[in-house]
Amino acid sequence: MVFDLALIKKLYAELPGKVAAARKLIGKPLTLTEKILYAHLYGALPATAHNRGKDYVDFAPDRVAMQDATAQMALLQFMTAGRSKVAVPSTVHCDHLIQAKVGAKKDLELAIETNREVYDFLSSISDKYGIGFWKAGAGIIHQVVLENYAFPGGMMIGTDSHTPNAGGLGMVAIGVGGADAVDVMAGLPWELKMPKVIGVKLTGKMSGWTSCKDVILWVAGQLTVKGGTGAIVEYFGDGADSMSATGKGTVCNMGAEIGATCSLFAYDEKMGAYLKATGRDEVAALADGIKEHLRPDVEVYADPAKYYDQLLELDLNTLEPYVNGPFTPDLATPISKMAAAVKENGWPAKLEVALIGSCTNSSYEDISRSASIVEDAVSKGLKANAEFTITPGSELVRFTIERDGFINTFEKVGGVVLANACGPCIGQWARHIDDPNRKNTIITSFNRNFAKRNDGNASTHAFVASPEIVTAMAIAGTIAFNPLTDKLKNASGEEVLLKEPTGFELPPKGFAVEDAGYQAPAADGSGIQVKVATDSKRLQLLEPFKAWEGTDLKGLKLLIKAKGKCTTDHISMAGPWLKFRGHLDNISNNMLIGAINFYNEKTDTVKNQLTGEYGPVPATARVYKAAGVGSIVVGDENYGEGSSREHAAMEPRFLGVRAILVRSFARIHETNLKKQGMLGLTFANKEDYDKILEDDTIDIVGLSSFAPGQPLTIMLNHQDGTVENILVNHTYNEQQIEWFRAGGALNVIRSQFVK
Ligand code: SF4
């Protein structure tokens, strides 16, 4: 048993009382989101707790999960916080550093060899500080968490943006930066702006080719990549109760793509069944005992429009499969309109690679339904007409689907099973392509499809769909294929229609595994040495950042004015850079190299104002830093959307950038900037973005009276001698202003533990 039953018992014993007290104080029925949040307050219920979307509240999450890429920096930071053990149950999962190349066995062996020092570091630090360690090959963080740790009514933070996957088991699970994980592991309050609650009422029942993935593909189309910002999305209704727990997990997982804080479903029989199937009968029994508290109040069900800040309604009977993309997960096209959309938009119709699996869609249900399509295709004389890969989400799933013959089924059409890891989903993919600049199409059952995300090629058009649709398209070899209506020609020249997929929510013979890949921590870690080599290129112990100098920031040079989409992938690219996640100096050489310079429309080419020459962004920042000159980055809308990586905030901090000034921020990135002691500012008037000129020297004025809700002033000193003042807003509260003054949140934490 790896989950903490005592913790769940304690929470369930207290939850009904806490919820009743909150309901009484607030004077209205509660959504499930509110119940869970109020049961996890760090202190007493603040008077403003019901003020959704406005005020920050301190929470005490039950647990922390970290993936290997983000855990390195989080744990390097935790090490300096002065504690002997983590304050809440925490786990590390080695999933992001395994590159997909030829297949599971060889890829895993190579990863263990290549990443040995990182795995040794993570294993030793986990052992020392009481952290559960999941070895390389054990599986993808969110799948392993769903199988072992997620529980209804719980609250978790995770250093990965798809942490909300655990909402499939009714948990408020939020993706954060490593600095937040440090706070919670250190036992400090974790602060979150009280989220709004978006209700999604699901009625009816899915059938045929439609699957749970299509719910979130549809929602993404409705709400767009920004529509969930600052909100928790709560799914409810008889349609929700008809979906499998893992299917619910898929929906919550991809809720990250609409910018939602997280998503969740109410406790129901499907969750109970999944808990039992994964060896957690006691948790299911405990949850059954307080079932009504793990669902919204009945009044909320009766009149949802009254209690949710926004309400969407979807009849699952009418939902058809969707294909989202390319380049953005919210461009949603129903399958019936896909062929026309491919033609109209000039998307390459030929499908080159079809990829199923990942933490989003690798449940037993997903795999069994996809395998049924392959079996049907083979029986009708069809074969795959695109490369086809399968990424199991965990060793538990992989072992079980192998036992049940599904891997064998996929291999019949040339399917390649990759390691139980992120692989192509995070750009860890040595793709075999003749010309990387050729326009080409791939389709995945993953969640994210920004340019370059999967294979690093800007010309790759990546689409996202359910595993069933991806599998059907792998057989057809084209994304203009609609398996509901279109026939395929088999080897004998006959026209055949694929049968609707069928599968099992849970394995009829139960789950099985020989070695799940778990390493329990030492009971007493005091004698354990954390392994970091002094000459390591991949790991570097951290030096604290300097405190604010106490004055306005003057003479900042414009480093880059980024144009258009600037995700954390553009700010701190993944792929080959993942290996430097634990080495701040080395990874800083990727800072903003994917961002487009507004003035020349090029990536990684900016003007150095000290020399007048154009050069790479990181090198230019290093020149300013060496000269003792601060710099500033300007960005567009939803700056920092995408992954939660705090490197995207630490790198600019390390290279001397003092402020990021944008039209709007993605939530996690804005918080990460604050944690690192950076200034994250937004234009009070969005058109002022146009006033920033390439040769500007910039002053930030008003910092000595920096206060919540008070705008700051920015002086643009143009090269022609003119000066323009613009007003900029911020969302810093008192505590965050303290972080800014101290030079970062970690500096504040350390002062409490190390005297
Ligand atoms: S979304 Fe992709 S990269 Fe992220 S945890 Fe899941 S499989 Fe890994």
Side-chain angles (χ1 to χ4, degrees), residues 558 560-562 598-599 609 632 634-636 661-663 683-699 713-720 722-728:
L558 176 69
I560 183 171
K561 176 164 150 179
F598 177 88
Y599 304 106
Q609 292 193 41
I632 179 166
V634 172
D636 215 319
L661 170 61
V662 298
R663 282 183 159 139
F683 293 101
N685 175 3
K686 289 190 179 188
E687 274 78 62
D688 286 348
Y689 173 88
D690 298 322
K691 292 185 179 161
I692 313 281
L693 304 180
E694 190 172 26
D695 292 297
D696 279 353
T697 299
I698 295 168
D699 303 336
T713 300
I714 283 208
M715 290 174 68
L716 304 172
N717 303 287
H718 299 309
Q719 201 185 27
D720 64 3
T722 59
V723 178
E724 278 185 280
N725 283 357
I726 60 173
L727 218 55
V728 293

Side-chain angles (χ1 to χ4, degrees), residues 386-517:
E387 278 182 54
F388 185 36
T389 70
I390 302 96
T391 308
S394 69
E395 179 56 14
L396 184 76
V397 164
R398 194 210 61 76
F399 192 95
T400 309
I401 61 170
E402 182 173 49
R403 180 201 66 190
D404 294 349
F406 298 137
I407 289 187
N408 189 30
T409 300
F410 291 127
E411 285 172 350
K412 285 185 200 164
V413 291
V416 175
V417 177
L418 301 173
N420 312 323
C422 302
C425 186
I426 187 74
Q428 286 280 55
W429 185 21
R431 186 177 165 196
H432 321 285
I433 183 167
D434 50 352
D435 173 8
N437 297 318
R438 181 168 52 75
K439 261 172 89 172
N440 72 95
T441 289
I442 65 170
I443 189 164
T444 79
S445 72
F446 310 160
N447 42 35
R448 209 158 258 180
N449 59 349
F450 301 129
K452 299 187 180 181
R453 162 89 178 176
N454 302 117
D455 62 0
N457 301 334
S459 49
T460 294
H461 292 51
F463 293 85
V464 176
S466 67
E468 294 90 329
I469 293 296
V470 173
T471 303
M473 287 184 172
I475 306 289
T478 166
I479 52 157
F481 175 63
N482 178 359
L484 283 78
T485 54
D486 300 350
K487 291 187 172 167
L488 294 168
K489 205 174 261 181
N490 68 11
S492 334
E494 295 156 350
E495 301 246 310
V496 292
L497 192 67
L498 289 173
K499 248 191 359 208
E500 287 176 355
T502 54
F504 305 91
E505 282 182 20
L506 294 166
K509 288 189 269 172
F511 282 109
V513 70
E514 261 169 18
D515 175 9

Side-chain angles (χ1 to χ4, degrees), residues 67 95-96 140-142 160-162 253 257 357-360 391 421-427 446-448 453:
Q67 42 101 326
D95 55 0
H96 276 58
I140 306 170
I141 174 169
H142 313 304
D160 188 275
S161 40
H162 293 97
N253 178 303
E257 268 46 68
S358 89
C359 67
T360 328
T391 308
C422 302
C425 186
I426 187 74
F446 310 160
N447 42 35
R448 209 158 258 180
R453 162 89 178 176

